[in-house]
Amino acid sequence: MRHLVTASTLAAACCLSLTACTGGSDDRSTPEPSPRPTLRLGQSADTAGVGGRGAARITPDTVVYADRTGFGAPEHGLFAVVTYQSRNRTTSRVTTTAGQGGLRWTTAGGRTVTDRNSKAATGVVPIGFSEGGPALPPEVGHQDVAVFDIAAAERGGTLIYVDGDGTAFRWRIPASDSGAAVPALKFALD
């Protein structure tokens, strides 16, 4: 019987100590948001426009790797060219963060670069895939490209889009040319 009282007393003391350490029973913490799942090519994300104004749907759909293009050679060994669709989901003009460093490439090793990260990458503008930039008129969509100048060993990685609210959306990018527009994009890059 003595062991039961001691065990009960010990359990009560631990609970009181735990309550005192956490600041009492009135302290309610806000749950952390669950991390967003990593998407695949062709999957869409509904994002906020610059400054949190408006809404745009972003859909990366094709990736092509090129060690040389008609626009020049990469400075770091390889271009990773990702096509994506932007669609305004509102009745007013919305601007995506694509032109403000919102698109990034993270390698498997953890290195991150922004879209157009070299002078060579800035010059890659494939005809038919660069339709209009980050500003979208009401209920309109267009296609554009993100170009990353990376090392050949950095094929495959994660495309990150940080929207106007600071929310990061991630897509797993295959290490080989993938997506429905591969032949057309390769032709436009030559």
Side-chain angles (χ1 to χ4, degrees):
M1 189 68 146
R2 183 173 178 171
H3 290 292
L4 288 176
V5 172
T6 304
S8 297
T9 304
L10 181 60
C14 287
C15 287
L16 287 174
S17 296
L18 183 59
T19 301
C21 290
T22 60
S25 61
D26 290 334
D27 183 27
R28 294 192 171 100
S29 65
T30 319
E32 289 293 318
S34 58
R36 294 188 175 280
T38 300
L39 303 168
R40 294 181 321 272
L41 280 179
Q43 291 184 309
S44 300
D46 289 328
T47 67
V50 171
R53 292 184 300 276
R57 177 169 284 166
I58 305 295
T59 312
D61 57 19
T62 300
V63 63
V64 166
Y65 297 96
D67 58 4
R68 185 178 334 169
T69 71
F71 303 97
E75 294 172 22
H76 303 289
L78 191 69
F79 288 128
V81 183
V82 179
T83 65
Y84 64 95
Q85 310 295 320
S86 301
R87 179 143 193 89
N88 185 340
R89 308 215 352 111
T90 67
T91 57
S92 59
R93 186 176 192 83
V94 66
T95 302
T96 69
T97 61
Q100 300 175 357
L103 285 162
R104 302 165 190 175
W105 180 275
T106 300
T107 68
R111 186 172 86 89
T112 300
V113 297
T114 58
D115 178 26
R116 313 282 179 176
N117 62 310
S118 70
K119 186 174 181 180
T122 302
V124 178
V125 186
I127 295 171
F129 290 92
S130 301
E131 292 183 341
L136 299 167
E139 300 175 350
V140 168
H142 68 251
Q143 181 171 256
D144 214 333
V145 293
V147 183
F148 305 96
D149 192 340
I150 60 174
E154 295 174 326
R155 281 179 177 261
T158 303
L159 177 71
I160 300 172
Y161 178 77
V162 180
D163 76 358
D165 284 339
T167 304
F169 299 87
R170 291 171 172 77
W171 288 267
R172 173 65 49 208
I173 304 298
S176 60
D177 297 347
S178 301
V182 167
L185 182 56
K186 282 185 171 184
F187 181 78
L189 288 170
D190 283 339

